[in-house]
Amino acid sequence: MATNLEFIKSVEVTSSTSSVDIDNVFTDNYDVYSILVTDFETVGSTQTALHLRYIDSSGSVITGSTYDYAYLQMDSIRAFADIKNTNKTFLDYNLIDKAPTGAGLISYIYNPYSASSYTFSSWQNVSVWQAGALELRGTKGIGVEKTAQSIRGFQIYETDTRPFDKAKISVYGVKG
């Protein structure tokens, strides 16, 4: 069966961590990349959220307030919500795990290696979280990192002081 995805790299998280750097995966070989996060689980039962920051051509994580994002949060037992933020220090994937259920994400990154354009992204995910009752949450989002520079990788991390201990993060180049 033919596919438009070409495997680049996969990293498995098997012990407690708050961040994972996936470096040297974006090159001039592709204009579009796919990131797939599967089997994401937190340590213990407290939920946490995943975020993304890019790694620049010198190997430094871009932590400035240069990220904008918007997403539709689709909860199973409450009203949907439009979330928008500008000048943040990360892209908020809104991927939340309420252990032991796990969560998953697919994201597309557009023109990350181009030094003459912003890096755009789109994503969708599904997870289980709890604010009272346990519920399913889906998210569809878009984002941009607003500096015209070459990006060579990314960092997935959590900001809720709750580490994760299981995940598989795979990167693919999208052909044609």
Side-chain angles (χ1 to χ4, degrees):
M1 180 166 85
T3 180
N4 287 337
L5 298 178
E6 290 190 347
F7 176 78
I8 296 172
K9 185 175 187 175
S10 184
V11 172
E12 291 210 35
V13 175
T14 58
S15 62
S16 179
T17 187
S18 291
S19 68
V20 176
D21 290 358
I22 312 293
D23 201 2
N24 295 308
V25 290
F26 301 145
T27 66
D28 60 358
N29 291 338
Y30 306 95
D31 293 330
V32 180
Y33 292 82
S34 177
I35 299 170
L36 185 64
V37 178
T38 57
D39 300 324
F40 171 71
E41 291 184 11
T42 55
V43 174
S45 61
T46 302
Q47 58 202 25
T48 194
L50 278 190
H51 307 291
L52 178 136
R53 293 189 287 213
Y54 293 114
I55 299 173
D56 68 20
S57 61
S58 68
S60 298
V61 175
I62 301 168
T63 59
S65 299
T66 56
Y67 298 88
D68 295 351
Y69 60 84
Y71 56 81
L72 177 62
Q73 179 175 292
M74 300 170 284
D75 292 338
S76 61
I77 61 173
R78 66 186 77 232
F80 290 5
D82 288 316
I83 310 295
K84 303 170 198 154
N85 277 297
T86 59
N87 302 319
K88 301 300 279 184
T89 59
F90 55 82
L91 291 177
D92 180 3
Y93 275 155
N94 196 34
L95 181 69
I96 298 173
D97 169 56
K98 176 67 175 164
T101 55
L105 159 87
I106 187 165
S107 179
Y108 291 95
I109 312 297
Y110 305 95
N111 298 312
Y113 203 71
S114 173
S116 62
S117 67
Y118 293 171
T119 298
F120 290 87
S121 62
S122 62
W123 65 87
Q124 53 189 344
N125 64 53
V126 66
S127 55
V128 174
W129 80 295
Q130 188 166 11
L134 200 60
E135 63 183 290
L136 189 63
R137 169 175 286 175
T139 302
K140 291 184 72 110
I142 56 172
V144 61
E145 196 284 316
K146 302 176 297 188
T147 56
Q149 64 177 313
S150 184
I151 305 294
R152 73 182 205 187
F154 60 95
Q155 178 184 70
I156 299 277
Y157 76 107
E158 61 83 25
T159 57
D160 297 325
T161 65
R162 189 61 172 178
F164 53 97
D165 62 355
K166 184 178 179 191
K168 182 175 181 181
I169 304 165
S170 301
V171 181
Y172 298 87
V174 181
K175 296 189 298 185

